[in-house]
Amino acid sequence: AQSVSQHNHHVILSEAASLELGCNYSYGGTVNLFWYVQYPGQHLQLLLKYFSGDPLVKGIKGFEAEFIKSKFSFNLRKPSVQWSDTAEYFCAVNSFNSGGSNYKLTFGKGTLLTVNP
Amino acid sequence: SAVISQKPSRDICQRGTSLTIQCQVDSQVTMMFWYRQQPGQSLTLIATANQGSEATYESGFVIDKFPISRPNLTFSTLTVSNMSPEDSSIYLCSVGPGMGTQYFGPGTRLLVL
């Protein structure tokens, strides 16, 4: 069964600091990869996704993530965080099986990011 | 993206009772899902709500405990039956255009006493 690991439970940064949140998954086949974000009091929403092609994907609000297949990783980055980036970030994986059921998302436990002004 | 609403937004229930959570989407969607997010845990898929047929449950979840209805392409309900404190959680509805991308509702916070 596939699994997703997010290494940091809680990250605290000051504004303008650089951010990198780790995500590793375990699955040997084809995967789609996602980062979702939940801002305080808001819905879980899609931040960015990787399906194929350029392994460096850009999302909303200046976020980007790099898919490194050899490391089974999909780390999220932002060069300069803002106070408004305070949120919980979830990495998720969608895998393809032979039966064609490609809808299931497996989530990591999430990383709470606190950005201090 | 779809706009999803859930009712109730939160509830406090007594042990042994049942609660039905509603999920409404502003457009017709093929795939609808129900997740649970327990305190300090990740989102876990409970089941896929299939329109016109029985829901597809994930390992560890059964229909008797979490009956699901999907009468049309914009609406679904999840019932949490015979509740215990271990059922205290956030329950989320999501819809998917496919390929894993999903849009989530605001969630229902359930506390069972």
Side-chain angles (χ1 to χ4, degrees), chain A residues 32 34 36 43-44 46 49 51 90 94 96 102-105 107-109, chain B residues 4 31 33 35 37 41-43 45 48 58 99-102 104-106:
Chain A
N32 295 330
F34 304 82
Y36 282 85
H43 301 193
L44 196 64
L46 183 65
K49 60 187 177 185
F51 286 172
F90 294 90
N94 161 238
F96 292 83
N102 64 357
Y103 55 81
K104 181 177 178 179
L105 281 178
F107 284 85
K109 290 190 175 183
Chain B
I4 305 165
M31 311 291 289
F33 308 93
Y35 286 83
Q37 185 178 19
Q41 300 296 316
S42 179
L43 283 81
L45 180 64
T48 302
E58 297 298 308
M99 298 293 286
T101 301
Q102 293 182 20
F104 287 83

CSV table of all heavy atoms in Angstrom, one decimal, chain A residues 32 34 36 43-44 46 49 51 90 94 96 102-105 107-109, chain B residues 4 31 33 35 37 41-43 45 48 58 99-102 104-106:
chain,number,residue,atom,x,y,z
A,32,ASN,N,0.6,10.5,-9.4
A,32,ASN,CA,0.4,12.0,-9.5
A,32,ASN,C,0.6,12.5,-8.1
A,32,ASN,O,0.3,11.9,-7.1
A,32,ASN,CB,-1.0,12.3,-9.9
A,32,ASN,CG,-1.3,11.8,-11.3
A,32,ASN,OD1,-0.4,11.8,-12.2
A,32,ASN,ND2,-2.5,11.5,-11.6
A,34,PHE,N,0.6,15.9,-5.2
A,34,PHE,CA,-0.2,17.1,-4.9
A,34,PHE,C,0.3,17.7,-3.6
A,34,PHE,O,0.8,17.0,-2.7
A,34,PHE,CB,-1.7,16.8,-4.7
A,34,PHE,CG,-2.3,16.1,-5.9
A,34,PHE,CD1,-2.2,14.7,-6.0
A,34,PHE,CD2,-3.0,16.8,-6.8
A,34,PHE,CE1,-2.8,14.1,-7.1
A,34,PHE,CE2,-3.6,16.2,-7.9
A,34,PHE,CZ,-3.5,14.8,-8.0
A,36,TYR,N,-1.7,20.2,-0.9
A,36,TYR,CA,-2.9,21.0,-0.5
A,36,TYR,C,-2.5,21.9,0.7
A,36,TYR,O,-1.6,21.5,1.5
A,36,TYR,CB,-4.0,20.0,-0.1
A,36,TYR,CG,-4.7,19.3,-1.3
A,36,TYR,CD1,-4.1,18.2,-1.9
A,36,TYR,CD2,-5.8,19.9,-1.8
A,36,TYR,CE1,-4.8,17.6,-3.0
A,36,TYR,CE2,-6.5,19.3,-2.9
A,36,TYR,CZ,-6.0,18.1,-3.5
A,36,TYR,OH,-6.6,17.5,-4.5
A,43,HIS,N,-11.2,26.2,3.7
A,43,HIS,CA,-11.3,24.9,3.2
A,43,HIS,C,-9.9,24.4,2.8
A,43,HIS,O,-9.0,25.2,2.5
A,43,HIS,CB,-12.1,24.8,1.9
A,43,HIS,CG,-13.5,25.3,2.0
A,43,HIS,ND1,-14.4,25.1,1.0
A,43,HIS,CD2,-14.1,25.9,3.0
A,43,HIS,CE1,-15.6,25.6,1.4
A,43,HIS,NE2,-15.4,26.1,2.6
A,44,LEU,N,-9.7,23.1,2.7
A,44,LEU,CA,-8.5,22.5,2.1
A,44,LEU,C,-8.5,22.9,0.6
A,44,LEU,O,-9.6,22.7,0.0
A,44,LEU,CB,-8.6,21.0,2.3
A,44,LEU,CG,-7.3,20.2,2.1
A,44,LEU,CD1,-6.2,20.6,3.1
A,44,LEU,CD2,-7.6,18.7,2.2
A,46,LEU,N,-6.2,23.1,-3.3
A,46,LEU,CA,-5.1,22.7,-4.0
A,46,LEU,C,-4.0,23.8,-4.2
A,46,LEU,O,-4.4,24.9,-4.6
A,46,LEU,CB,-5.6,22.2,-5.4
A,46,LEU,CG,-4.5,21.6,-6.3
A,46,LEU,CD1,-3.9,20.3,-5.7
A,46,LEU,CD2,-5.1,21.3,-7.7
A,49,LYS,N,0.2,20.7,-8.3
A,49,LYS,CA,0.1,19.3,-8.7
A,49,LYS,C,1.1,18.9,-9.7
A,49,LYS,O,1.5,19.8,-10.5
A,49,LYS,CB,-1.3,18.9,-9.1
A,49,LYS,CG,-1.7,19.7,-10.4
A,49,LYS,CD,-3.2,19.4,-10.7
A,49,LYS,CE,-3.6,20.2,-11.9
A,49,LYS,NZ,-5.1,20.0,-12.2
A,51,PHE,N,1.7,15.9,-12.7
A,51,PHE,CA,1.2,14.7,-13.4
A,51,PHE,C,2.3,14.1,-14.2
A,51,PHE,O,2.6,12.9,-14.2
A,51,PHE,CB,0.0,15.1,-14.3
A,51,PHE,CG,-1.2,15.3,-13.5
A,51,PHE,CD1,-2.4,15.8,-14.2
A,51,PHE,CD2,-1.3,15.1,-12.2
A,51,PHE,CE1,-3.6,16.0,-13.5
A,51,PHE,CE2,-2.5,15.3,-11.5
A,51,PHE,CZ,-3.6,15.8,-12.1
A,90,PHE,N,-0.4,19.9,3.3
A,90,PHE,CA,-0.6,18.4,3.1
A,90,PHE,C,0.0,18.0,1.8
A,90,PHE,O,-0.4,18.5,0.8
A,90,PHE,CB,-2.0,18.0,3.2
A,90,PHE,CG,-2.7,18.2,4.6
A,90,PHE,CD1,-3.3,19.4,4.9
A,90,PHE,CD2,-2.6,17.2,5.5
A,90,PHE,CE1,-3.9,19.6,6.1
A,90,PHE,CE2,-3.2,17.4,6.8
A,90,PHE,CZ,-3.9,18.6,7.0
A,94,ASN,N,-1.5,10.2,-5.6
A,94,ASN,CA,-2.6,9.5,-6.3
A,94,ASN,C,-1.9,8.5,-7.2
A,94,ASN,O,-1.1,8.9,-8.1
A,94,ASN,CB,-3.4,10.4,-7.1
A,94,ASN,CG,-4.2,9.8,-8.2
A,94,ASN,OD1,-4.1,10.1,-9.3
A,94,ASN,ND2,-5.0,8.8,-7.8
A,96,PHE,N,-1.7,4.9,-9.8
A,96,PHE,CA,-2.4,4.2,-10.8
A,96,PHE,C,-2.3,2.7,-10.6
A,96,PHE,O,-1.1,2.3,-10.3
A,96,PHE,CB,-1.9,4.6,-12.2
A,96,PHE,CG,-2.2,6.0,-12.6
A,96,PHE,CD1,-1.4,7.0,-12.1
A,96,PHE,CD2,-3.3,6.3,-13.4
A,96,PHE,CE1,-1.7,8.3,-12.5
A,96,PHE,CE2,-3.6,7.6,-13.7
A,96,PHE,CZ,-2.8,8.6,-13.3
A,102,ASN,N,-7.8,5.3,-10.4
A,102,ASN,CA,-6.7,6.2,-10.2
A,102,ASN,C,-7.2,7.4,-9.4
A,102,ASN,O,-6.6,8.5,-9.4
A,102,ASN,CB,-6.2,6.7,-11.5
A,102,ASN,CG,-7.3,7.4,-12.3
A,102,ASN,OD1,-8.4,7.5,-11.9
A,102,ASN,ND2,-6.9,8.0,-13.5
A,103,TYR,N,-8.3,7.3,-8.7
A,103,TYR,CA,-8.9,8.5,-8.0
A,103,TYR,C,-8.4,8.6,-6.6
A,103,TYR,O,-8.5,9.7,-6.0
A,103,TYR,CB,-10.4,8.4,-8.0
A,103,TYR,CG,-10.9,7.1,-7.3
A,103,TYR,CD1,-11.0,7.0,-6.0
A,103,TYR,CD2,-11.3,6.0,-8.1
A,103,TYR,CE1,-11.4,5.8,-5.4
A,103,TYR,CE2,-11.7,4.8,-7.5
A,103,TYR,CZ,-11.8,4.7,-6.2
A,103,TYR,OH,-12.2,3.6,-5.6
A,104,LYS,N,-7.9,7.5,-6.0
A,104,LYS,CA,-7.7,7.6,-4.5
A,104,LYS,C,-6.5,8.4,-4.2
A,104,LYS,O,-5.4,8.3,-4.8
A,104,LYS,CB,-7.4,6.2,-4.0
A,104,LYS,CG,-7.2,6.1,-2.5
A,104,LYS,CD,-7.0,4.7,-2.0
A,104,LYS,CE,-6.7,4.6,-0.6
A,104,LYS,NZ,-6.6,3.2,-0.1
A,105,LEU,N,-6.7,9.3,-3.2
A,105,LEU,CA,-5.6,10.2,-2.7
A,105,LEU,C,-5.1,9.6,-1.3
A,105,LEU,O,-6.0,9.4,-0.5
A,105,LEU,CB,-6.0,11.6,-2.5
A,105,LEU,CG,-6.1,12.5,-3.8
A,105,LEU,CD1,-6.6,13.9,-3.4
A,105,LEU,CD2,-4.7,12.6,-4.4
A,107,PHE,N,-2.9,10.9,1.8
A,107,PHE,CA,-2.3,12.1,2.4
A,107,PHE,C,-1.3,11.8,3.4
A,107,PHE,O,-1.3,10.8,4.1
A,107,PHE,CB,-3.4,12.9,3.0
A,107,PHE,CG,-4.4,13.6,2.1
A,107,PHE,CD1,-5.4,13.0,1.5
A,107,PHE,CD2,-4.1,14.9,1.8
A,107,PHE,CE1,-6.3,13.6,0.7
A,107,PHE,CE2,-5.0,15.6,0.9
A,107,PHE,CZ,-6.1,14.9,0.3
A,108,GLY,N,-0.3,12.8,3.5
A,108,GLY,CA,0.6,12.8,4.6
A,108,GLY,C,-0.1,13.4,5.8
A,108,GLY,O,-1.3,13.8,5.7
A,109,LYS,N,0.6,13.4,7.0
A,109,LYS,CA,0.0,13.9,8.2
A,109,LYS,C,-0.1,15.4,8.3
A,109,LYS,O,-0.7,15.9,9.2
A,109,LYS,CB,0.7,13.3,9.4
A,109,LYS,CG,0.4,11.8,9.6
A,109,LYS,CD,1.0,11.4,10.9
A,109,LYS,CE,0.6,9.9,11.1
A,109,LYS,NZ,1.1,9.4,12.4
B,4,ILE,N,-18.5,23.6,-2.7
B,4,ILE,CA,-19.0,22.6,-1.9
B,4,ILE,C,-19.4,23.1,-0.6
B,4,ILE,O,-18.7,23.8,0.1
B,4,ILE,CB,-18.0,21.4,-1.7
B,4,ILE,CG1,-17.4,21.0,-3.1
B,4,ILE,CG2,-18.6,20.3,-0.9
B,4,ILE,CD1,-16.2,20.1,-3.0
B,31,MET,N,-17.4,12.1,-9.4
B,31,MET,CA,-16.8,11.4,-8.2
B,31,MET,C,-17.0,12.3,-7.0
B,31,MET,O,-16.8,13.5,-6.9
B,31,MET,CB,-15.3,11.3,-8.4
B,31,MET,CG,-14.8,10.7,-9.7
B,31,MET,SD,-15.2,9.0,-9.8
B,31,MET,CE,-14.1,8.3,-8.7
B,33,PHE,N,-16.4,12.0,-2.6
B,33,PHE,CA,-15.7,11.2,-1.6
B,33,PHE,C,-16.0,11.7,-0.2
B,33,PHE,O,-16.3,12.9,0.0
B,33,PHE,CB,-14.2,11.3,-1.8
B,33,PHE,CG,-13.7,11.0,-3.3
B,33,PHE,CD1,-13.6,12.0,-4.2
B,33,PHE,CD2,-13.4,9.7,-3.6
B,33,PHE,CE1,-13.2,11.8,-5.5
B,33,PHE,CE2,-13.0,9.4,-4.9
B,33,PHE,CZ,-12.9,10.5,-5.9
B,35,TYR,N,-14.1,11.8,3.6
B,35,TYR,CA,-12.8,11.6,4.4
B,35,TYR,C,-13.1,11.8,5.8
B,35,TYR,O,-14.0,12.6,6.2
B,35,TYR,CB,-11.8,12.6,3.9
B,35,TYR,CG,-11.2,12.3,2.6
B,35,TYR,CD1,-11.8,12.7,1.4
B,35,TYR,CD2,-9.9,11.7,2.5
B,35,TYR,CE1,-11.2,12.5,0.2
B,35,TYR,CE2,-9.3,11.4,1.2
B,35,TYR,CZ,-10.0,11.8,0.1
B,35,TYR,OH,-9.4,11.6,-1.1
B,37,GLN,N,-10.8,13.1,9.3
B,37,GLN,CA,-9.5,13.6,9.8
B,37,GLN,C,-9.6,13.7,11.3
B,37,GLN,O,-10.2,14.5,11.9
B,37,GLN,CB,-9.2,15.0,9.2
B,37,GLN,CG,-7.9,15.6,9.6
B,37,GLN,CD,-7.6,17.0,9.0
B,37,GLN,OE1,-8.5,17.7,8.6
B,37,GLN,NE2,-6.4,17.3,9.0
B,41,GLN,N,-4.1,13.6,13.0
B,41,GLN,CA,-3.9,12.6,12.0
B,41,GLN,C,-4.1,13.2,10.6
B,41,GLN,O,-4.6,14.3,10.4
B,41,GLN,CB,-4.8,11.4,12.2
B,41,GLN,CG,-4.7,10.8,13.5
B,41,GLN,CD,-3.3,10.1,13.6
B,41,GLN,OE1,-2.8,9.4,12.7
B,41,GLN,NE2,-2.7,10.3,14.8
B,42,SER,N,-3.8,12.3,9.6
B,42,SER,CA,-4.0,12.7,8.2
B,42,SER,C,-5.4,12.5,7.8
B,42,SER,O,-6.2,12.0,8.5
B,42,SER,CB,-3.0,11.9,7.3
B,42,SER,OG,-3.2,12.3,6.0
B,43,LEU,N,-5.7,13.0,6.6
B,43,LEU,CA,-7.1,12.7,6.0
B,43,LEU,C,-7.1,11.2,5.6
B,43,LEU,O,-6.1,10.7,4.9
B,43,LEU,CB,-7.3,13.5,4.8
B,43,LEU,CG,-7.7,15.0,5.1
B,43,LEU,CD1,-6.5,15.8,5.3
B,43,LEU,CD2,-8.5,15.5,3.8
B,45,LEU,N,-9.5,8.3,3.6
B,45,LEU,CA,-10.6,8.1,2.8
B,45,LEU,C,-11.5,7.1,3.4
B,45,LEU,O,-11.1,6.0,3.7
B,45,LEU,CB,-10.2,7.7,1.4
B,45,LEU,CG,-11.3,7.5,0.4
B,45,LEU,CD1,-12.1,8.7,0.1
B,45,LEU,CD2,-10.8,6.9,-0.9
B,48,THR,N,-16.0,6.1,-1.4
B,48,THR,CA,-16.4,6.8,-2.6
B,48,THR,C,-17.9,6.7,-2.8
B,48,THR,O,-18.4,5.6,-2.8
B,48,THR,CB,-15.7,6.3,-3.9
B,48,THR,OG1,-14.3,6.3,-3.7
B,48,THR,CG2,-16.1,7.0,-5.1
B,58,GLU,N,-13.4,1.9,1.9
B,58,GLU,CA,-12.0,1.6,2.0
B,58,GLU,C,-11.9,0.6,3.2
B,58,GLU,O,-12.8,0.4,4.0
B,58,GLU,CB,-11.2,2.9,2.3
B,58,GLU,CG,-11.2,3.8,1.2
B,58,GLU,CD,-10.6,3.3,-0.1
B,58,GLU,OE1,-9.5,2.8,0.0
B,58,GLU,OE2,-11.3,3.4,-1.2
B,99,MET,N,-8.2,12.2,-12.1
B,99,MET,CA,-6.7,12.2,-12.1
B,99,MET,C,-6.2,12.6,-10.7
B,99,MET,O,-5.1,13.1,-10.6
B,99,MET,CB,-6.1,13.1,-13.1
B,99,MET,CG,-6.5,12.8,-14.5
B,99,MET,SD,-5.7,11.2,-15.0
B,99,MET,CE,-4.0,11.8,-15.3
B,100,GLY,N,-7.0,12.4,-9.7
B,100,GLY,CA,-6.6,12.7,-8.3
B,100,GLY,C,-6.9,14.1,-7.8
B,100,GLY,O,-6.9,14.3,-6.6
B,101,THR,N,-7.0,15.0,-8.7
B,101,THR,CA,-7.4,16.4,-8.2
B,101,THR,C,-8.7,16.3,-7.6
B,101,THR,O,-9.7,15.8,-8.1
B,101,THR,CB,-7.4,17.3,-9.4
B,101,THR,OG1,-6.1,17.3,-10.1
B,101,THR,CG2,-7.7,18.7,-8.9
B,102,GLN,N,-8.8,16.9,-6.4
B,102,GLN,CA,-10.1,16.9,-5.6
B,102,GLN,C,-10.3,18.3,-5.0
B,102,GLN,O,-9.3,19.0,-4.7
B,102,GLN,CB,-10.1,15.8,-4.6
B,102,GLN,CG,-10.1,14.4,-5.1
B,102,GLN,CD,-10.1,13.3,-4.1
B,102,GLN,OE1,-10.5,13.6,-3.0
B,102,GLN,NE2,-9.8,12.1,-4.5
B,104,PHE,N,-12.4,20.2,-1.9
B,104,PHE,CA,-12.9,19.8,-0.6
B,104,PHE,C,-13.9,20.8,-0.1
B,104,PHE,O,-13.9,22.0,-0.3
B,104,PHE,CB,-11.8,19.7,0.4
B,104,PHE,CG,-10.9,18.5,0.2
B,104,PHE,CD1,-9.9,18.5,-0.8
B,104,PHE,CD2,-11.1,17.3,0.9
B,104,PHE,CE1,-9.1,17.4,-1.0
B,104,PHE,CE2,-10.4,16.2,0.7
B,104,PHE,CZ,-9.4,16.2,-0.3
B,105,GLY,N,-14.9,20.2,0.7
B,105,GLY,CA,-15.8,21.0,1.4
B,105,GLY,C,-15.2,21.6,2.7
B,105,GLY,O,-14.1,21.3,3.0
B,106,PRO,N,-16.0,22.4,3.4
B,106,PRO,CA,-15.4,23.0,4.7
B,106,PRO,C,-15.3,22.0,5.8
B,106,PRO,O,-14.6,22.4,6.8
B,106,PRO,CB,-16.5,24.1,5.0
B,106,PRO,CG,-17.7,23.6,4.4
B,106,PRO,CD,-17.3,22.8,3.1
